Amino acid sequence: MSDLPGAVLEWSTDQVENWLRKCGHSDYVIHLLCDEHKIDGKALLTLTENDLKSPPVSMKILGDIKRLSTDLRLLQKKNFSCLEDLGLSFGPTVQAYSRLKLTNLDEANGYPNEDKSLYDEPTQPLGKRESRALYLPPEFGKTFLSMAYLFVVTWITAFVMVIVHDRVPDMKKYPPLPDIFLDNVPTISWAFHMCEVTGSLLLLIWVAVLITHKHRFILLRRFFALSGTVFLLRCITMLITSLSVPGTHLECNPRVWEEQAKRGQPYGDLWAKIQHAYVIWRGAGMSIQGVRTCGDYMFSGHTVALTMLNFFITEYTPRRMYFLHTFSWLLNMFGIFFILSAHEHYSIDVFIAFYITSRLFLYYHTLANNQALMQRDSGRTRVWFPLFSFFESSVGGIVPNEFEWPFTTEQLKAWIMPLMMSVLAALIALRHKGPLAAKQN
């Protein structure tokens, strides 16, 4: 008798009886399920512990209930794809039990936290149930690694921006390319600064969300990983093809072009490039910080930042905050409009940036919120999405939007009171030191 995925659905009542005997269940259990209730393979896969304890089955022996429910969970885990094909999901009973932190074991039956919903959850149609994660560890180490990943990527991006600036096509020989938006909208000189102001507002909102969100370290980890991946992709697209400058008002001469030609070094001095890259990195590539670069057109980094911040804000705040969501989307759209109005990027740069950022965000969160999609083909997921597989290995479903202050009132008092006492002691010491010094003089 095979218990391979798909085979269980074809089991007859006699094959179910054989499986029960193979698992070592009593004649009472076999008679109850197979003879009285005619349980076949399909019915067997949909049984829950609640079904066993409730009418019409109404098993009375606790040991039989627990042993059978444990074997059922293992069988359902092996045949999870079959359950999905039937339009059913056992969620936590099948998926999350192995990842649940076993603490506070109940002395009576050995199950964690006496959470009956974990074991008795009935089957529900897929898509109707929110598969919320049961255990969400902050995992500070992974968050630090994701931050280091973004840090390295930003340095690579800054260095690539220096290279592409020196490779920018000659404006006299290669005029701006035809563009539907740029050809019909006059240049607005202050628009690019306004784009960066809107981005700064979105960043402030996102920081406020991070501070108050209960699962802030998971959000940070996802933000760093996604941002780093998009900007790393941008490095590749910038290097592959150098587009002509989109506006004649831009000053895009290579920084050391003549000196390079004299020395026969097409890419200039490495140390000088590192210094230029540091200036770009320190100013976050923003013109309001005094950074001016050319050649980094495909695709728009400013659009990536605006879109990523907008999507994270709207994803990790409650749906009822529709005013905030509307404001976030307005900032995103106006920021894109300001980029184009300043003639700093072609329309295709902005469109590709928005599309790649939004799609990557949605694909990542679709996988993260539906762990069954990843587990059905975990090997392929590890190959194509290595960062996702690593960072999301301990997150078993949707991250709920729960909010709390990062510090309790007691913690604030414990930190602030000693600080205030130290400051007060220093002031008193200075006050007494003044008269003593005057007397000595």
Side-chain angles (χ1 to χ4, degrees):
M1 180 179 61
S2 173
D3 59 353
L4 294 174
V8 180
L9 293 177
E10 307 300 327
W11 284 1
S12 64
T13 305
D14 292 335
Q15 288 175 305
V16 171
E17 179 179 345
N18 291 336
W19 178 79
L20 290 170
R21 291 191 184 280
K22 181 181 176 182
C23 293
H25 293 287
S26 64
D27 292 335
Y28 160 74
V29 173
I30 295 171
H31 173 74
L32 188 63
L33 295 182
C34 299
D35 297 336
E36 290 191 19
H37 295 286
K38 308 298 180 185
I39 299 296
D40 59 6
K42 187 178 294 186
L44 184 69
L45 278 180
T46 61
L47 281 178
T48 65
E49 185 173 332
N50 190 52
D51 292 333
L52 301 178
K53 295 187 292 186
S54 304
V57 180
S58 301
M59 292 179 66
K60 302 299 182 182
I61 302 175
L62 180 62
D64 287 336
I65 294 173
K66 292 300 182 181
R67 282 188 291 271
L68 180 56
S69 62
T70 299
D71 289 334
L72 285 173
R73 283 197 295 272
L74 293 174
L75 187 66
Q76 291 158 358
K77 185 174 183 179
K78 292 179 181 179
N79 295 270
F80 188 76
S81 58
C82 299
L83 289 172
E84 288 189 315
D85 293 337
L86 293 174
L88 302 171
S89 173
F90 282 82
T93 55
V94 178
Q95 297 286 333
Y97 179 74
S98 61
R99 287 190 295 272
L100 185 65
K101 189 174 182 181
L102 298 178
T103 55
N104 301 325
L105 294 178
D106 177 49
E107 294 180 357
N109 54 28
Y111 287 95
N113 300 322
E114 299 186 63
D115 186 2
K116 295 184 179 180
S117 64
L118 176 62
Y119 308 99
D120 298 344
E121 183 177 342
T123 57
Q124 297 180 12
L126 286 174
K128 298 295 184 180
R129 174 184 55 81
E130 282 194 344
S131 53
R132 292 183 179 272
L134 296 176
Y135 176 57
L136 295 169
E139 296 185 293
F140 305 110
K142 288 185 179 180
T143 304
F144 176 79
L145 286 176
S146 66
M147 182 176 65
Y149 169 65
L150 180 61
F151 176 83
V152 172
V153 169
T154 53
W155 259 104
I156 295 173
T157 302
F159 190 77
V160 170
M161 290 172 72
V162 173
I163 294 175
V164 298
H165 182 97
D166 292 340
R167 290 174 49 196
V168 68
D170 186 1
M171 297 176 64
K172 295 179 180 179
K173 188 176 181 180
Y174 300 97
L177 298 171
D179 187 285
I180 293 176
F181 188 93
L182 303 187
D183 293 344
N184 293 280
V185 176
T187 305
I188 302 176
S189 59
W190 48 266
F192 202 57
H193 288 333
M194 285 301 301
C195 159
E196 294 178 346
V197 170
T198 59
S200 300
L201 286 174
L202 283 171
L203 180 61
L204 288 175
I205 297 172
W206 174 234
V207 170
V209 172
L210 283 174
I211 291 173
T212 56
H213 203 284
K214 181 178 180 180
H215 308 292
R216 58 188 65 87
F217 289 101
I218 297 177
L219 273 59
L220 266 177
R221 189 162 66 241
R222 292 179 173 181
F223 181 77
F224 291 151
L226 283 171
S227 300
T229 301
V230 177
F231 276 99
L232 191 59
L233 177 61
R234 180 172 180 257
C235 292
I236 298 172
T237 59
M238 285 191 297
L239 277 173
I240 290 175
T241 304
S242 296
L243 300 178
S244 58
V245 179
T248 55
H249 65 290
L250 299 173
E251 297 181 3
C252 290
N253 297 320
R255 292 185 180 89
V256 289
W257 187 263
E258 294 180 0
E259 183 181 349
Q260 290 174 359
K262 290 178 182 178
R263 291 190 291 177
Q265 298 177 356
Y267 297 109
D269 181 69
L270 178 61
W271 179 246
K273 287 184 178 295
I274 293 175
Q275 289 178 319
H276 287 308
Y278 173 71
V279 172
I280 295 172
W281 180 83
R282 183 187 60 192
M286 300 174 67
S287 62
I288 57 176
Q289 297 286 345
V291 177
R292 296 298 305 178
T293 58
C294 295
D296 55 329
Y297 299 126
M298 180 58 69
F299 43 89
S300 169
H302 282 70
T303 303
V304 169
L306 290 167
T307 306
M308 191 69 74
L309 289 168
N310 172 34
F311 271 70
F312 267 94
I313 290 169
T314 53
E315 175 72 16
Y316 292 108
T317 49
R319 292 182 180 179
R320 65 178 180 273
M321 301 178 69
Y322 49 88
F323 287 117
L324 175 62
H325 295 176
T326 303
F327 182 63
S328 178
W329 271 103
L330 285 174
L331 289 176
N332 191 178
M333 294 299 104
F334 271 104
I336 291 174
F337 172 77
F338 288 139
I339 293 171
L340 294 173
S341 298
H343 289 210
E344 292 281 347
H345 276 280
Y346 290 106
S347 301
I348 189 64
D349 304 341
V350 172
F351 175 79
I352 294 296
F354 181 85
Y355 184 83
I356 289 177
T357 307
S358 60
R359 294 314 96 178
L360 189 61
F361 179 92
L362 293 173
Y363 296 156
Y364 189 101
H365 282 78
T366 298
L367 278 176
N369 295 342
N370 298 274
Q371 288 288 316
L373 297 177
M374 182 179 71
Q375 292 184 4
R376 290 185 71 178
D377 200 351
S378 57
R380 183 178 296 180
T381 304
R382 283 193 294 269
V383 172
W384 288 102
F385 307 102
L387 285 177
F388 171 84
S389 298
F390 175 69
F391 288 130
E392 301 296 327
S393 60
S394 300
V395 180
I398 297 174
V399 176
N401 287 327
E402 301 170 342
F403 295 87
E404 65 179 15
W405 290 108
F407 309 112
T408 62
T409 306
E410 290 75 14
Q411 289 175 325
L412 286 175
K413 288 180 179 179
W415 293 338
I416 292 176
M417 290 303 294
L419 179 62
M420 292 179 63
M421 294 299 294
S422 299
V423 172
L424 184 60
L427 291 174
I428 293 173
L430 287 174
R431 184 175 180 181
H432 287 288
K433 186 177 180 181
L436 289 174
K439 290 180 179 179
Q440 292 177 357
N441 293 330

